[in-house]
Amino acid sequence: MKLLFVLVMLTAEAAGVEDLSGKMFTFPVHDIKAHVKLNTNKQGYTAITLCHRSFTDLKRDHVLIFIKSSKSLSNELLIIWDEQNQELEAHLKYQKMQYRHLNYKLNTWHSICTTWDSVSGLVQMWFNGQPLVRKFAVCASEMNGTSVVILGQKKDYHGGRFDIKHAFVGMISDVHMWDYTLSTCEIQNYMEDLNFTAGNVLNWKAMEYEIRDKVLLEDKIKPCY
């Protein structure tokens, strides 16, 4: 049984389209290779909404999710927690938006959504149901090419290795992505785990993914009543 567990963790696992309702990806160790790739055939974005939930006990900088969709840029969109400055950050085409004074508790599920619209150039983040200030990033610019969405790792430049200093340890679940900015009510419904329109780019209930190295797909932890 122990041998089987080790083999599952050390091999890459590719799945077809799968309903991941009630599931989570567990990143149990600090590792430079462990990540999950979420597959989509969508090309070119003039707007996006990206939502996910995460759970960790890390007391250091760590990446949550990043999108790579162009050969000329390493991270089209990067969501990261900066422990030193105690801030949640959204990096869009090398523009950094910083959000401080958030109650980023350890060993707690956090729901995070990020929207961007190329017409206005504005980025807005939501944290545990709280809308954060809208900030200007970049306008009149598309995300070109086929998207590659990675959970748990980031690269500093195209073709480079993952950056182990930012490797994620914990759990990630309920990832959805849309190619438009979601309405306030829809985001609030996601935050509160109510009925909402599933992502048309990434849909947690119909996900195609690849597990690389030490990552497990498990049942999501639920409170007992």
Side-chain angles (χ1 to χ4, degrees):
M1 187 67 179
K2 184 181 294 186
L3 177 60
L4 177 60
F5 176 79
V6 172
L7 288 175
V8 170
M9 289 186 66
L10 293 182
T11 57
E13 177 184 341
V17 176
E18 185 176 342
D19 185 351
L20 299 182
S21 298
K23 300 289 186 180
M24 64 184 183
F25 290 118
T26 298
F27 302 75
V29 295
H30 185 202
D31 184 84
I32 195 171
K33 296 180 180 179
H35 68 281
V36 179
K37 177 183 175 184
L38 306 180
N39 298 318
T40 174
N41 293 322
K42 172 70 177 177
Q43 296 191 30
Y45 301 91
T46 58
I48 61 168
T49 302
L50 178 63
C51 294
H52 73 280
R53 307 188 209 280
S54 60
F55 186 111
T56 187
D57 66 350
L58 291 176
K59 294 183 179 180
R60 60 166 171 80
D61 296 358
H62 54 271
V63 65
L64 297 167
I65 187 169
F66 91 81
I67 302 174
K68 170 72 179 71
S69 61
S70 167
K71 292 183 179 180
S72 61
L73 295 173
S74 60
N75 303 316
E76 290 278 23
L77 177 64
L78 170 67
I79 308 301
I80 192 169
W81 174 255
D82 184 328
E83 178 68 19
Q84 181 177 353
N85 294 312
Q86 289 290 295
E87 62 188 26
L88 186 65
E89 298 176 357
H91 297 244
L92 185 76
K93 295 181 179 291
Y94 293 127
Q95 298 295 319
K96 180 170 70 173
M97 281 61 66
Q98 301 157 286
Y99 299 91
R100 297 183 177 181
H101 308 296
L102 302 176
N103 191 15
Y104 194 79
K105 292 182 179 179
L106 302 182
N107 295 309
T108 299
W109 281 106
H110 295 295
S111 299
I112 299 171
C113 288
T114 306
T115 66
W116 167 71
D117 174 61
S118 66
V119 176
S120 65
L122 295 178
V123 169
Q124 183 171 27
M125 299 193 75
W126 291 66
F127 181 75
N128 292 342
Q130 174 187 355
L132 308 180
V133 66
R134 292 157 65 86
K135 298 187 176 184
F136 180 80
V138 59
C139 62
S141 178
E142 295 185 10
M143 291 185 181
N144 298 313
T146 302
S147 296
V148 177
V149 182
I150 301 293
L151 304 181
Q153 298 279 1
K154 67 178 281 289
K155 293 182 178 181
D156 289 329
Y157 58 91
H158 178 70
R161 300 179 64 191
F162 289 130
D163 178 5
I164 194 169
K165 297 191 302 295
H166 291 92
F168 180 77
V169 178
M171 292 90 81
I172 295 178
S173 184
D174 299 334
V175 181
H176 286 266
M177 182 175 170
W178 299 259
D179 61 0
Y180 57 92
T181 55
L182 222 57
S183 71
T184 297
C185 291
E186 286 277 14
I187 291 177
Q188 197 65 52
N189 286 344
Y190 171 87
M191 291 282 169
E192 297 177 5
D193 206 14
L194 301 175
N195 289 329
F196 62 91
T197 304
N200 66 340
V201 177
L202 294 175
N203 179 357
W204 194 249
K205 295 182 179 181
M207 188 69 74
E208 183 179 342
Y209 64 90
E210 297 175 33
I211 291 177
R212 299 297 177 93
D213 212 64
K214 303 176 182 67
V215 182
L216 300 173
L217 178 64
E218 300 184 297
D219 290 334
K220 193 174 180 181
I221 299 172
K222 296 181 179 179
C224 297
Y225 298 104

